[in-house]
Amino acid sequence: MADVSRRLFLRHLRGTPTSWVRHSTGGRVRREGTGLSFWYRPLHAVLSEVPVDDRELPLLFHARTGDFADVTVQATVTYRVADPALAATRLDFSVDPRTGVARARPLDQVATLLAELAQQPALDLLARVPLAEALTTIAPVREAVSAALGTEPRLADVGVAVVSARVVAIRPEPELERALQTPTREAVQVEADRATYARRAQAVEQERSIAENELQNKIELARREQQLVEQHGANTRRRAELDAAAELAAAQGKAEREKVADAAAAERARVLSTAEAEKERVLAAAKADGVRALGQAEAEAEAARLAAYAQLPVEVLHALALRELAGQLPQIGQLTVTPDLLSGLLTRLGGGDLTRLGGSDR
């Protein structure tokens, strides 16, 4: 809508780049075009404003297929006023010169005309095909609507040109649509189940492969462990053999050393025993010589003494005997001699004892 402003008894109209404006006065066109801006007197001016931009017209209508099924067609038609001068003469695009408000709704008439012209070819085409085919004939319906609108003379008479026509969807009633979707849904579900079973089978196969790999790994580990045990046993046996050989060599060396030591000890013992025997023989001989010499000396001394005793008188011998006896008696602190004791002693000494002693010396 154009912008109309007031200045005293004049009006000023400022159009838009997408609006075609015609200014007439007294039946004569004073100015016309898009994007105009001018002053005018509202009492004498006749104004027409025609939008020349592209406009979208959504369409929603019902149709019946060849098997008597109701479908809903959703389409969109893009159009524009290609000849605004012609449209201004065929349709009421006039505006109030005082306020700039449109006096009629000519675009509604254009929309009604386009809807009727677009429905007819779509209805004719859908009536010849069954429902299943109608739901998949969007392209033929679009081509039929575009062709019908492009060649329609009534649109050219009002200066309207169709830019494009699009069929968005063709849908049956909800219950029928669900019934038609059931086979597809079931087929999709079957495919989903098949995919699920295939995935499960693949998972089972992968698990089996994993289990086989684990079993093979365990077998390989057991085999390597067996090899390790065998190698460990061989190493232990080899170590034992080496230790036994080392111990044998050590024992042989020790035996050799002990043999040599024993031989040396035996030789030393033999030498020592020989020396000891010789020493003992010498000592025994020396001791025997000493004993023999001592015995001879004692015998000679005893013989000399006896010889001396033989030449002594009896009284002297008695005195020597008493002295010898006194030397053998214990120590006497006090001695009491009675006449009886003395007489008896003298009797023994003067009697048989001295006689025996003298006989013995002889």
Side-chain angles (χ1 to χ4, degrees):
M1 184 181 67
D3 183 13
V4 177
S5 58
R6 179 179 178 179
R7 293 293 185 274
L8 299 176
F9 56 89
L10 295 177
R11 297 290 188 276
H12 181 270
L13 183 143
R14 182 175 58 190
T16 61
T18 58
S19 297
W20 182 88
V21 178
R22 170 182 289 178
H23 176 212
S24 301
T25 302
R28 292 183 304 171
V29 178
R30 303 291 300 272
R31 57 181 65 85
E32 63 181 5
T34 59
L36 296 180
S37 179
F38 53 89
W39 291 92
Y40 64 92
R41 291 184 297 176
L43 295 177
H44 303 279
V46 176
L47 300 177
S48 298
E49 182 182 9
V50 181
V52 294
D53 56 337
D54 292 349
R55 293 180 174 267
E56 301 287 340
L57 177 63
L59 301 176
L60 186 66
F61 55 91
H62 293 276
R64 179 168 294 182
T65 63
D67 49 1
F68 305 102
D70 291 335
V71 295
T72 301
V73 180
Q74 182 179 357
T76 301
V77 177
T78 302
Y79 70 97
R80 62 185 177 86
V81 179
D83 189 353
L86 178 60
T89 59
R90 298 295 303 271
L91 299 174
D92 186 8
F93 285 96
S94 63
V95 297
D96 188 351
R98 289 184 175 83
T99 60
V101 177
R103 292 177 176 176
R105 305 181 64 179
L107 294 180
D108 292 345
Q109 298 177 6
V110 174
T112 302
L113 178 61
L114 289 173
E116 292 176 354
L117 295 176
Q119 289 181 20
Q120 192 61 44
L123 295 175
D124 294 341
L125 179 61
L126 293 175
R128 296 192 298 269
V129 297
L131 177 62
E133 184 179 353
L135 297 179
T136 59
T137 56
I138 295 179
V141 172
R142 180 181 65 251
E143 293 174 358
V145 172
S146 298
L149 294 178
T151 58
E152 179 61 39
R154 295 177 58 186
L155 296 177
D157 291 343
V158 295
V160 176
V162 175
V163 179
S164 65
R166 303 181 301 278
V167 177
V168 180
I170 299 176
R171 303 187 62 178
E173 295 180 353
E175 294 81 3
L176 186 57
E177 184 177 11
R178 285 192 295 270
L180 293 174
Q181 290 176 352
T182 299
T184 303
R185 187 180 298 108
E186 293 298 329
V188 172
Q189 186 64 37
V190 169
E191 291 296 329
D193 294 341
R194 184 180 294 110
T196 301
Y197 297 149
R199 185 172 63 253
R200 290 180 180 177
Q202 185 178 3
V204 171
E205 182 66 21
Q206 291 179 353
E207 290 179 357
R208 186 183 63 81
S209 301
I210 293 173
E212 290 182 354
N213 292 333
E214 291 180 352
L215 182 59
Q216 291 296 330
N217 292 334
K218 290 181 179 179
I219 295 174
E220 182 66 20
L221 290 176
R223 186 179 63 82
R224 293 185 179 181
E225 184 176 1
Q226 181 181 1
Q227 294 179 353
L228 179 62
V229 171
E230 293 177 355
Q231 186 64 35
H232 182 69
N235 294 338
T236 304
R237 184 170 56 255
R238 180 61 178 169
R239 189 180 298 109
E241 292 176 355
L242 294 177
D243 292 342
E247 291 178 358
L248 179 59
Q252 291 177 353
K254 184 177 180 181
E256 291 294 333
R257 290 193 300 272
E258 289 180 353
K259 183 177 179 181
V260 174
D262 291 343
E267 182 65 22
R268 186 169 56 254
R270 186 182 62 79
V271 173
L272 290 176
S273 60
T274 304
E276 288 292 335
E278 184 64 25
K279 180 179 178 181
E280 290 179 358
R281 186 182 62 78
V282 172
L283 290 177
K287 185 177 181 181
D289 293 341
V291 171
R292 186 170 51 253
L294 181 59
Q296 290 179 359
E298 288 180 353
E300 292 176 357
E302 186 66 25
R305 189 179 58 179
L306 290 177
Y309 283 161
Q311 296 176 2
L312 292 176
V314 177
E315 293 82 4
V316 175
L317 293 175
H318 288 173
L320 291 174
L322 289 174
R323 189 181 66 180
E324 186 69 23
L325 179 61
Q328 297 297 326
L329 293 175
Q331 184 178 359
I332 301 173
Q334 184 178 0
L335 179 63
T336 304
V337 181
T338 62
D340 295 332
L341 178 60
L342 183 58
S343 61
L345 178 61
L346 292 176
T347 301
R348 286 194 303 269
L349 290 175
D353 292 338
L354 290 176
T355 303
R356 288 194 301 270
L357 180 58
S360 137
D361 290 334
R362 287 192 297 264

